[in-house]
């Protein structure tokens, strides 16, 4: 029995020794790995110390005793930048020109994205979103359609930012006020001249504009006539309505296009002096001094004009109060215009801006 016990203990001792030897072997292998890692780390530390010493010497040579930082170059994959991020960035920009500068800064913003189904760049897409959020369907109809390589969303956005400007001055007695194209003033005593928003042709939908007046201007709509610009040398006085200007009517009618439609009201205006309304087919003028909305205005008033080409009407407002329908039966495109006169008492002036339809009329249009 004793011998059997000793034999068992011997077997156990042999097994334990084998296990311990295996464990020792594992520890030695782990120690070897740790030593290798230490050597690698030591080499890395030595390399960094060497680079730091070189930078220190360079700094000392240049009179700067501070250790210069190690600059690591990084490459950013801008293909992962989507329009939501660019839209947020551009919300801090002031104009389409700054958005254009962003497109020119980096081709990832300015060039068409190869992985996108769109035919335009990130900057173009942001411009399209801006146009869609700011412009009504009626205003969009006054713009050229997007055409790749010809018309860009950036150009459409730029044009929207300058929608209501008197871009054409006709006659010698009118000028922009302090260089501001949204405002004009008369310059000649008892001489009439005219300013037109020729680049903003309204051909469909509803358009509402507000005119802040000084004196007694005439405010109305006229057919778009690209041939009648400042370079046409219309000297002296100028107006679209009146016997004194009937000699110009053939020039006006020569601008006619099929887009004018069936309406023969080619110019229509409201007189802020006495509230009269007038319109013409450039063959015969008609003045009405007994219409429903006849009411004079005074300096400081805001005259509102609603051109509704779905209804074919032009409605006048004074300080957000509806005066009446100035003219009906309208069709085809029109532009806003004003005619000004300077008198001894006051110098005629007008500024224009996009307006919001008065609440009293919003209910009737919805």
């Amino acid at each position: 029995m004793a011998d059997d016990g000793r034999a068992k203990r011997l077997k156990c001792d042999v097994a334990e020794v084998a296990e311990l030897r295996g464990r020792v072997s594992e520890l030695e292998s782990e120690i070897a790995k740790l030593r290798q890692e230490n050597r690698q780390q030591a080499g890395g530390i030595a390399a960094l110390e060497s680079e730091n010493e070189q930078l220190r010497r360079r700094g000392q040579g240049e009179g700067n005793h501070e250790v210069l930082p190690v600059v690591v170059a990084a490459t950013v994959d801008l293909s992962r930048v989507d329009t939501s991020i660019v839209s947020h960035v551009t919300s801090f920009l002031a104009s389409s020109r700054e958005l254009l500068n962003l497109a020119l800064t980096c081709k990832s913003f300015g060039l068409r994205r190869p992985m996108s189904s769109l035919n335009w760049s990130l900057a173009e897409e942001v411009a399209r979103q801006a146009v869609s959020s700011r412009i009504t369907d009626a205003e969009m109809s006054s713009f050229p359609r997007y055409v790749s390589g010809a018309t860009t969303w950036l150009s459409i956005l730029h044009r929207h930012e300058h929608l209501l400007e008197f871009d054409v001055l006709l006659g010698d007695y009118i000028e922009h006020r302090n260089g501001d194209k949204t405002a004009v003033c008369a310059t000649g005593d008892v001489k009439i001249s005219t300013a037109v928003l020729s680049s903003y042709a309204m051909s469909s939908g509803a358009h509402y504009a507000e005119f802040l007046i000084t004196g007694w201007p005439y405010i109305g709509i006229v057919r778009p006539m690209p041939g009648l610009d400042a370079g046409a040398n219309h000297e002296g006085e100028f107006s679209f309505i009146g016997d004194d200007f009937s000699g110009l009517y053939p020039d006006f009618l020569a601008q006619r296009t099929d887009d004018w439609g069936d309406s023969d009201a080619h110019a229509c205006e409201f007189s802020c002096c006495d509230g009269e309304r007038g319109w013409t087919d450039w063959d015969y003028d008609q003045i009405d001094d007994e219409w429903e909305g006849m009411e004079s205005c005074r300096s400081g008033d805001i005259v509102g004009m609603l051109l509704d080409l779905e209804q074919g009407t032009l409605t006048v407002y004074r300080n957000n109060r509806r005066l009446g329908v100035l003219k009906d039966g309208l069709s085809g495109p029109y532009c806003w215009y004003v005619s000004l006169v300077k008198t001894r008492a006051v110098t005629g002036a007008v500024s224009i801006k996009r307006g919001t339809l008065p609440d009293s009329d919003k209910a009737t249009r919805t």
Side-chain angles (χ1 to χ4, degrees), residues 165-352:
E165 291 184 342
F166 296 107
D167 55 332
V168 172
L169 305 182
L170 300 169
D172 290 335
Y173 308 105
I174 193 170
E175 65 183 15
H176 292 116
R177 187 169 57 195
N178 299 323
D180 180 4
K181 288 189 175 183
T182 67
V184 288
C185 59
T187 60
D189 292 336
V190 199
K191 302 288 187 180
I192 190 168
S193 289
T194 300
V196 187
L197 283 80
S198 68
S199 63
Y200 183 48
M202 302 167 286
S203 57
S204 64
H207 303 259
Y208 185 76
E210 293 181 341
F211 302 79
L212 175 61
I213 68 167
T214 300
W216 301 282
Y218 297 87
I219 302 174
I221 55 174
V222 67
R223 297 296 191 185
M225 294 180 286
L228 295 178
D229 56 22
N233 194 29
H234 294 288
E235 299 178 350
E237 297 183 84
F238 187 98
S239 178
F240 290 116
I241 299 178
D243 292 340
D244 293 341
F245 306 97
S246 58
L248 296 174
Y249 289 175
D251 294 338
F252 300 161
L253 289 173
Q255 301 286 314
R256 180 165 191 156
T257 66
D258 293 339
D259 294 339
W260 287 15
D262 298 329
S263 176
D264 59 359
H266 302 322
C268 180
E269 65 185 21
F270 171 74
S271 170
C272 294
C273 176
D274 50 24
E276 290 182 345
R277 64 176 178 176
W279 68 90
T280 180
D281 61 359
W282 289 323
D283 182 31
Y284 176 75
D285 299 339
Q286 184 169 338
I287 305 298
D288 187 353
D289 58 2
E290 295 182 355
W291 71 290
E292 59 172 339
M294 184 170 175
E295 183 176 309
S296 61
C297 303
R298 60 185 180 183
S299 294
D301 281 349
I302 296 177
V303 176
M305 287 275 182
L306 171 62
L307 176 63
D308 188 337
L309 290 168
E310 301 300 323
Q311 302 295 326
T313 58
L314 178 63
T315 306
V316 183
Y317 299 78
R318 180 188 177 198
N319 298 328
N320 286 329
R321 178 170 56 85
R322 186 178 185 274
L323 298 184
V325 175
L326 188 72
K327 190 72 178 74
D328 57 13
L330 302 173
S331 66
Y334 293 94
C335 300
W336 301 118
Y337 82 89
V338 299
S339 294
L340 302 180
V341 176
K342 179 180 179 181
T343 67
R344 293 182 179 180
V346 64
T347 297
V350 170
S351 64
I352 186 174

Side-chain angles (χ1 to χ4, degrees), residues 43-57:
I45 293 173
L48 291 175
E49 288 177 344
S50 175
E51 183 176 0
N52 197 27
E53 179 62 25
Q54 291 176 4
L55 291 173
R56 182 182 293 109
R57 291 176 180 176

Side-chain angles (χ1 to χ4, degrees), residues 132-191:
S132 300
S133 66
R134 302 178 192 178
I135 290 181
T136 65
D137 292 339
E139 288 174 333
M140 183 62 83
S141 67
S142 69
F143 292 130
R145 289 185 175 274
Y146 172 87
V147 179
S148 180
T151 302
T152 66
W153 285 112
L154 280 170
S155 67
I156 295 175
L157 177 61
H158 177 73
R159 183 170 176 182
H160 166 71
E161 293 169 342
H162 303 84
L163 278 178
L164 301 185
E165 291 184 342
F166 296 107
D167 55 332
V168 172
L169 305 182
L170 300 169
D172 290 335
Y173 308 105
I174 193 170
E175 65 183 15
H176 292 116
R177 187 169 57 195
N178 299 323
D180 180 4
K181 288 189 175 183
T182 67
V184 288
C185 59
T187 60
D189 292 336
V190 199
K191 302 288 187 180

